Coordinates of all heavy atoms in Angstrom, one line a residue:
Y247 N -0.7 16.8 2.3 CA -0.8 16.0 3.4 C 0.5 16.0 4.3 O 1.5 16.4 3.7 CB -1.1 14.5 3.0 CG -2.4 14.3 2.3 CD1 -2.4 14.1 0.9 CD2 -3.6 14.4 3.0 CE1 -3.6 13.9 0.3 CE2 -4.8 14.2 2.3 CZ -4.8 13.9 1.0 OH -6.0 13.7 0.3
G248 N 0.4 15.6 5.5 CA 1.6 15.5 6.3 C 2.2 14.2 6.2 O 1.4 13.2 6.0
E249 N 3.5 14.1 6.3 CA 4.2 12.8 6.3 C 3.7 12.0 7.5 O 3.8 12.4 8.6 CB 5.7 13.0 6.4 CG 6.5 11.7 6.1 CD 6.7 11.5 4.6 OE1 6.6 12.5 3.8 OE2 7.0 10.4 4.2
G250 N 3.2 10.8 7.2 CA 2.7 10.0 8.3 C 1.3 10.3 8.8 O 0.8 9.6 9.7
E251 N 0.6 11.3 8.2 CA -0.7 11.7 8.6 C -1.7 10.5 8.2 O -1.6 9.9 7.2 CB -1.1 12.9 7.8 CG -2.5 13.4 8.2 CD -2.9 14.7 7.4 OE1 -2.1 15.2 6.6 OE2 -4.1 15.1 7.6
V252 N -2.6 10.3 9.1 CA -3.7 9.3 8.9 C -5.0 10.1 8.5 O -5.4 11.0 9.1 CB -4.0 8.5 10.2 CG1 -5.2 7.6 9.9 CG2 -2.8 7.7 10.6
V253 N -5.5 9.7 7.3 CA -6.7 10.4 6.7 C -7.8 9.4 6.5 O -7.5 8.1 6.5 CB -6.3 11.1 5.4 CG1 -5.3 12.2 5.6 CG2 -5.8 10.0 4.4
N254 N -9.0 9.9 6.4 CA -10.2 9.0 6.3 C -10.7 9.0 4.9 O -11.3 10.0 4.4 CB -11.2 9.5 7.3 CG -12.5 8.6 7.3 OD1 -12.4 7.4 7.0 ND2 -13.6 9.2 7.7
I255 N -10.4 7.9 4.2 CA -10.8 7.8 2.8 C -11.6 6.5 2.6 O -11.1 5.4 3.0 CB -9.6 7.8 1.8 CG1 -8.7 8.9 2.1 CG2 -10.1 7.7 0.4 CD1 -9.2 10.3 1.6
P256 N -12.8 6.5 2.1 CA -13.6 5.3 2.0 C -13.1 4.3 1.0 O -12.5 4.7 0.0 CB -15.0 5.8 1.6 CG -14.8 7.1 0.9 CD -13.6 7.7 1.6
I257 N -13.4 3.0 1.2 CA -13.1 2.0 0.2 C -14.4 1.3 -0.2 O -15.4 1.4 0.5 CB -12.2 0.9 0.8 CG1 -12.9 0.2 2.1 CG2 -10.8 1.5 1.2 CD1 -12.1 -1.0 2.5
A258 N -14.4 0.7 -1.4 CA -15.5 -0.1 -1.9 C -15.0 -1.0 -2.9 O -14.9 -0.7 -4.1 CB -16.6 0.9 -2.5
H259 N -14.6 -2.2 -2.5 CA -14.0 -3.2 -3.5 C -14.1 -4.6 -3.0 O -14.2 -4.9 -1.8 CB -12.5 -2.8 -3.7 CG -11.7 -2.8 -2.5 ND1 -11.2 -1.6 -1.9 CD2 -11.2 -3.8 -1.7 CE1 -10.5 -1.9 -0.8 NE2 -10.5 -3.2 -0.7
G260 N -14.1 -5.5 -3.9 CA -14.0 -6.9 -3.7 C -12.7 -7.5 -4.0 O -12.4 -8.6 -3.5
E261 N -11.9 -6.8 -4.8 CA -10.6 -7.3 -5.2 C -9.6 -6.2 -5.1 O -9.0 -5.7 -6.0 CB -10.6 -7.8 -6.7 CG -11.6 -9.0 -6.9 CD -11.6 -9.5 -8.3 OE1 -10.5 -9.9 -8.8 OE2 -12.7 -9.5 -8.9
G262 N -9.3 -5.9 -3.8 CA -8.4 -4.8 -3.5 C -7.2 -5.3 -2.8 O -6.4 -4.5 -2.2
N263 N -7.0 -6.6 -2.8 CA -5.8 -7.2 -2.1 C -4.6 -7.1 -2.9 O -4.3 -7.9 -3.8 CB -6.2 -8.7 -1.8 CG -5.1 -9.5 -1.1 OD1 -4.0 -9.0 -0.9 ND2 -5.4 -10.7 -0.8
Y264 N -3.8 -6.0 -2.6 CA -2.6 -5.8 -3.5 C -1.5 -6.9 -3.2 O -1.2 -7.2 -2.1 CB -2.0 -4.4 -3.2 CG -0.7 -4.2 -4.0 CD1 -0.9 -3.8 -5.3 CD2 0.5 -4.4 -3.5 CE1 0.3 -3.6 -6.1 CE2 1.7 -4.2 -4.2 CZ 1.5 -3.8 -5.6 OH 2.7 -3.6 -6.3
Y265 N -1.0 -7.4 -4.3 CA 0.0 -8.4 -4.2 C 1.2 -8.2 -5.2 O 1.0 -7.8 -6.3 CB -0.6 -9.8 -4.4 CG 0.5 -10.9 -4.5 CD1 1.0 -11.4 -3.3 CD2 1.0 -11.4 -5.7 CE1 2.0 -12.4 -3.3 CE2 2.0 -12.3 -5.7 CZ 2.5 -12.8 -4.6 OH 3.5 -13.8 -4.6
C266 N 2.4 -8.5 -4.7 CA 3.5 -8.5 -5.6 C 4.6 -9.5 -5.0 O 4.5 -9.8 -3.8 CB 4.2 -7.1 -5.8 SG 4.8 -6.4 -4.2
D267 N 5.5 -9.9 -5.8 CA 6.5 -10.8 -5.3 C 7.5 -10.1 -4.4 O 7.5 -8.9 -4.3 CB 7.2 -11.6 -6.4 CG 7.9 -10.7 -7.4 OD1 8.5 -9.7 -7.0 OD2 7.9 -11.0 -8.6
E268 N 8.4 -10.8 -3.7 CA 9.3 -10.3 -2.8 C 10.3 -9.3 -3.4 O 10.6 -8.2 -2.8 CB 10.0 -11.4 -2.0 CG 9.2 -12.2 -1.1 CD 10.0 -13.2 -0.3 OE1 11.2 -13.1 -0.4 OE2 9.4 -14.0 0.5
E269 N 10.7 -9.6 -4.6 CA 11.7 -8.7 -5.3 C 11.0 -7.4 -5.7 O 11.6 -6.3 -5.5 CB 12.2 -9.4 -6.5 CG 13.2 -8.5 -7.4 CD 14.4 -8.0 -6.6 OE1 14.8 -8.7 -5.6 OE2 14.9 -7.0 -7.0
T270 N 9.8 -7.5 -6.2 CA 9.0 -6.2 -6.5 C 8.8 -5.4 -5.2 O 8.9 -4.2 -5.3 CB 7.7 -6.6 -7.2 OG1 8.0 -7.3 -8.4 CG2 6.9 -5.3 -7.5
L271 N 8.4 -6.1 -4.2 CA 8.2 -5.3 -2.9 C 9.5 -4.7 -2.4 O 9.4 -3.5 -1.9 CB 7.7 -6.3 -1.8 CG 7.3 -5.7 -0.5 CD1 6.3 -4.7 -0.6 CD2 6.9 -6.8 0.5
R272 N 10.6 -5.4 -2.6 CA 11.8 -4.8 -2.2 C 12.1 -3.5 -3.0 O 12.5 -2.5 -2.4 CB 13.0 -5.8 -2.4 CG 14.3 -5.3 -1.9 CD 15.5 -6.2 -2.4 NE 15.6 -6.1 -3.8 CZ 16.2 -5.1 -4.5 NH1 16.6 -4.0 -3.8 NH2 16.2 -5.1 -5.8
R273 N 11.8 -3.5 -4.3 CA 12.1 -2.4 -5.1 C 11.1 -1.2 -4.8 O 11.5 -0.1 -4.7 CB 11.9 -2.7 -6.6 CG 13.0 -3.6 -7.1 CD 13.0 -3.6 -8.7 NE 11.8 -4.1 -9.2 CZ 11.6 -5.3 -9.6 NH1 12.5 -6.3 -9.4 NH2 10.4 -5.7 -10.1
L274 N 9.8 -1.6 -4.5 CA 8.9 -0.6 -4.1 C 9.3 0.2 -2.9 O 9.2 1.4 -2.8 CB 7.5 -1.2 -3.8 CG 6.7 -1.7 -5.0 CD1 5.4 -2.4 -4.5 CD2 6.3 -0.5 -5.9
K275 N 9.8 -0.5 -1.9 CA 10.3 0.1 -0.7 C 11.6 0.9 -0.9 O 11.7 2.0 -0.4 CB 10.6 -1.0 0.4 CG 9.4 -1.7 0.9 CD 9.8 -2.8 2.0 CE 8.6 -3.4 2.6 NZ 9.0 -4.4 3.6
A276 N 12.5 0.3 -1.7 CA 13.8 1.0 -1.9 C 13.6 2.3 -2.7 O 14.3 3.3 -2.5 CB 14.7 0.1 -2.6
R277 N 12.6 2.3 -3.6 CA 12.4 3.5 -4.4 C 11.3 4.4 -3.9 O 11.0 5.4 -4.6 CB 12.1 3.0 -5.8 CG 13.2 2.2 -6.5 CD 12.8 1.5 -7.8 NE 13.9 0.8 -8.3 CZ 13.7 -0.1 -9.4 NH1 12.5 -0.3 -9.9 NH2 14.8 -0.7 -9.8
G278 N 10.8 4.1 -2.7 CA 9.8 5.0 -2.1 C 8.5 5.0 -2.9 O 7.9 6.1 -2.9
Q279 N 8.1 3.9 -3.5 CA 6.9 3.9 -4.3 C 5.6 3.6 -3.6 O 4.5 3.7 -4.1 CB 7.0 3.0 -5.5 CG 8.0 3.4 -6.5 CD 8.2 2.3 -7.6 OE1 9.3 1.7 -7.7 NE2 7.2 2.2 -8.4
I280 N 5.7 3.2 -2.3 CA 4.5 3.0 -1.5 C 4.0 4.4 -1.0 O 4.7 5.0 -0.2 CB 4.8 2.1 -0.3 CG1 5.3 0.7 -0.9 CG2 3.6 1.9 0.6 CD1 5.7 -0.3 0.2
V281 N 2.9 4.8 -1.4 CA 2.4 6.1 -1.0 C 1.3 6.1 0.1 O 1.3 7.0 1.0 CB 1.7 6.8 -2.3 CG1 1.2 8.2 -2.0 CG2 2.8 6.9 -3.4
F282 N 0.5 5.1 0.1 CA -0.5 5.0 1.2 C -0.5 3.6 1.8 O -0.4 2.6 1.0 CB -2.0 5.3 0.6 CG -2.2 6.7 0.2 CD1 -2.3 7.0 -1.2 CD2 -2.3 7.7 1.1 CE1 -2.5 8.3 -1.6 CE2 -2.5 9.0 0.7 CZ -2.6 9.3 -0.7
T283 N -0.8 3.5 3.1 CA -0.9 2.1 3.7 C -2.2 2.2 4.6 O -2.5 3.2 5.1 CB 0.3 1.8 4.6 OG1 0.5 2.8 5.6 CG2 1.5 1.6 3.7
Y284 N -2.8 1.0 4.8 CA -3.9 0.9 5.6 C -3.5 0.8 7.1 O -2.5 0.2 7.4 CB -4.7 -0.4 5.3 CG -5.3 -0.4 3.9 CD1 -4.8 -1.3 3.0 CD2 -6.4 0.3 3.6 CE1 -5.4 -1.4 1.7 CE2 -7.0 0.3 2.4 CZ -6.5 -0.6 1.4 OH -7.1 -0.6 0.2
E285 N -4.3 1.5 7.9 CA -4.1 1.4 9.4 C -4.7 0.1 9.9 O -4.2 -0.5 10.8 CB -4.7 2.6 10.1 CG -3.9 3.9 9.9 CD -2.6 3.8 10.7 OE1 -2.6 4.0 11.9 OE2 -1.6 3.6 10.0
D286 N -5.8 -0.3 9.3 CA -6.4 -1.6 9.7 C -6.8 -2.3 8.4 O -7.8 -2.1 7.8 CB -7.7 -1.3 10.5 CG -8.4 -2.5 10.9 OD1 -7.8 -3.6 10.9 OD2 -9.6 -2.5 11.4
N287 N -5.8 -3.1 7.9 CA -5.9 -3.8 6.6 C -7.2 -4.5 6.4 O -7.5 -5.5 7.0 CB -4.7 -4.8 6.5 CG -4.5 -5.2 5.0 OD1 -5.4 -5.3 4.3 ND2 -3.3 -5.5 4.7
P288 N -8.0 -4.0 5.4 CA -9.4 -4.6 5.2 C -9.4 -5.7 4.2 O -10.4 -6.3 4.0 CB -10.2 -3.4 4.7 CG -9.2 -2.6 3.9 CD -7.8 -2.8 4.6
N289 N -8.3 -5.9 3.4 CA -8.3 -6.8 2.3 C -7.2 -7.8 2.2 O -7.2 -8.7 1.3 CB -8.5 -6.0 1.0 CG -7.4 -5.0 0.9 OD1 -6.2 -5.2 1.3 ND2 -7.8 -3.8 0.4
G290 N -6.2 -7.7 3.1 CA -5.1 -8.6 3.0 C -3.9 -8.2 2.2 O -2.9 -8.9 2.0

């Protein structure tokens, strides 16, 4: 894939709302562990 590329992948879930505390989120960002993000967040 290209860095920053937007791709079309279907979803099908009722419990897809990813959550973590602020410290965990900080680590995810600092270590580059976030791989995909929604363009139009469907679940919060």
Side-chain angles (χ1 to χ4, degrees):
Y247 296 106
E249 192 85 19
E251 180 181 358
V252 176
V253 295
N254 185 21
I255 309 289
I257 60 170
H259 58 251
E261 298 183 57
N263 180 354
Y264 179 80
Y265 174 80
C266 62
D267 59 39
E268 291 186 5
E269 178 58 25
T270 299
L271 181 60
R272 185 193 65 78
R273 290 197 300 268
L274 287 175
K275 290 179 175 180
R277 298 168 181 172
Q279 291 176 248
I280 300 174
V281 180
F282 294 109
T283 58
Y284 295 109
E285 287 292 278
D286 183 14
N287 194 328
N289 51 39

